[in-house]
Amino acid sequence: MNLKQNLIELPSDLNAKIIPHHVAVIMDGNGRWAKRRGFPRIVGHQKGVDTLKSLLRCCDDWGIKVLTAYAFSTENWGRPITEVEFLLTLFERVLRKELAQMMEKNVKIRFIGDLKALPESLQAEIYHSMEETKYNKGIKFNIATNYGSRQEILQACRTIASSVQEGKINLEDIDEELFESHLYTNGLESPDLLIRTSGEMRLSNFLLWQMAYSEIYVTNTLWPDFNREEFHLALLNYQQRDRRFGKVKE
């Protein structure tokens, strides 16, 4: 699907020239969505997967080049063991089931986070999906799994400090570009827009370095109910922002 075809589906009140290049999402509210309907929390997570798939298709349709989703944080290990086990099994099952369609849509999949701590069977599916899609030229789909931004930053600091101790680099060599090359997101553009659902007004240890100048949009809508209409509203809000990056426009 080329850009011209994408923009045919773009709502008429959105300006194609200022569509965000990279959108990040904190998918919050699955459990509450299920509880309000009398379902187990796992039903909310299942519905949340459908919402994420729909958003990925919408981003592709509307010309957004990068989507990064916060799927599982380092803090999520503290949830009930049955919920954690279900989530990890769900990730594995969805990856296996959806890979063929991702290939068909030319999606490039990348996982960011401490993947070594995940179950071996899930790691195998993750690395297989990244290897299979690495040459795809379509939308970049990044999935933050066992991800924590503070840990990411500390790991980068330790690695750089070791390189200084070993004489591989000098203190004067350390700049933003070098630091970013040691993050999980090395090579990825910073998000233009962060969307958080369920009304929570916090970053929850997500992309703290990378979102220094990201626009933040918070909606009370719970993640399973976040549809194209809700995304449309988020983009409309984004296009009304005056992005100065700390500068003053003449």
Side-chain angles (χ1 to χ4, degrees):
M1 186 176 291
N2 60 39
L3 181 59
K4 184 176 180 181
Q5 290 172 319
N6 285 340
L7 297 186
I8 290 173
E9 300 188 35
L10 190 68
S12 59
D13 55 353
L14 289 175
N15 185 343
K17 295 181 179 179
I18 51 176
I19 286 292
H21 180 84
H22 182 177
V23 172
V25 289
I26 298 178
M27 307 177 291
D28 201 10
N30 290 339
R32 276 167 284 175
W33 181 91
K35 185 177 180 181
R36 288 178 185 178
R37 290 160 175 79
F39 299 139
R41 288 176 58 86
I42 61 174
V43 175
H45 294 309
Q46 290 171 320
K47 183 68 168 60
V49 169
D50 293 336
T51 300
L52 180 58
K53 288 163 54 180
S54 178
L55 179 61
L56 179 62
R57 288 192 295 270
C58 187
C59 286
D60 191 31
D61 289 343
W62 291 356
I64 292 162
K65 302 301 183 183
V66 186
L67 174 65
T68 299
Y70 201 9
F72 189 85
S73 74
T74 50
E75 289 75 24
N76 286 157
W77 294 104
R79 294 186 176 189
I81 186 63
T82 53
E83 183 174 347
V84 171
E85 290 178 346
F86 174 81
L87 282 170
L88 298 179
T89 301
L90 180 64
F91 296 161
E92 187 175 337
R93 187 169 68 245
V94 169
L95 265 180
R96 191 180 302 117
K97 178 182 176 182
E98 300 294 334
L99 182 58
Q101 188 172 25
M102 295 291 183
M103 289 296 295
E104 180 182 336
K105 297 294 185 182
N106 208 23
V107 176
K108 183 173 183 177
I109 301 172
R110 178 174 176 180
F111 281 79
I112 57 174
D114 182 10
L115 305 180
K116 299 186 298 296
L118 300 172
E120 289 185 4
S121 58
L122 177 54
Q123 288 187 52
E125 291 294 337
I126 284 173
Y127 289 115
H128 176 64
S129 69
M130 290 195 290
E131 181 66 23
E132 287 292 301
T133 65
K134 68 180 181 181
Y135 296 117
N136 287 353
K137 302 300 183 182
I139 186 171
K140 296 177 182 177
F141 182 32
N142 310 303
I143 308 161
T145 306
N146 196 31
Y147 175 88
S149 192
R150 287 183 174 181
Q151 293 84 339
E152 174 187 34
I153 291 170
L154 285 173
Q155 176 181 286
C157 290
R158 293 188 188 107
T159 302
I160 293 170
S162 295
S163 295
V164 172
Q165 283 185 324
E166 295 168 7
K168 295 179 180 178
I169 60 173
N170 299 315
L171 281 175
E172 296 76 18
D173 297 328
I174 303 174
D175 56 15
E176 289 188 13
E177 184 177 357
L178 176 70
F179 186 80
E180 288 175 353
S181 72
H182 289 81
L183 298 176
Y184 294 131
T185 54
N186 175 34
L188 282 177
E189 307 88 340
S190 294
D192 301 294
L193 171 65
L194 168 70
I195 298 171
R196 178 159 192 160
T197 56
S198 86
E200 303 294 349
M201 304 288 287
R202 54 180 176 268
L203 294 177
S204 295
N205 201 18
F206 184 46
L207 300 176
L208 301 180
W209 171 277
Q210 297 86 341
M211 291 200 294
Y213 282 101
S214 301
E215 299 297 325
I216 299 175
Y217 176 84
V218 177
T219 174
N220 289 325
T221 300
L222 301 179
W223 177 249
D225 290 327
F226 190 83
N227 53 25
R228 283 197 178 214
E229 289 72 27
E230 293 284 344
F231 189 42
H232 180 193
L233 292 175
L235 295 180
L236 278 174
N237 183 277
Y238 169 82
Q239 294 197 342
Q240 295 166 4
R241 308 285 180 94
D242 183 14
R243 305 193 74 201
R244 297 189 300 274
F245 301 96
K247 303 174 184 177
V248 176
K249 290 187 178 181
E250 297 295 336

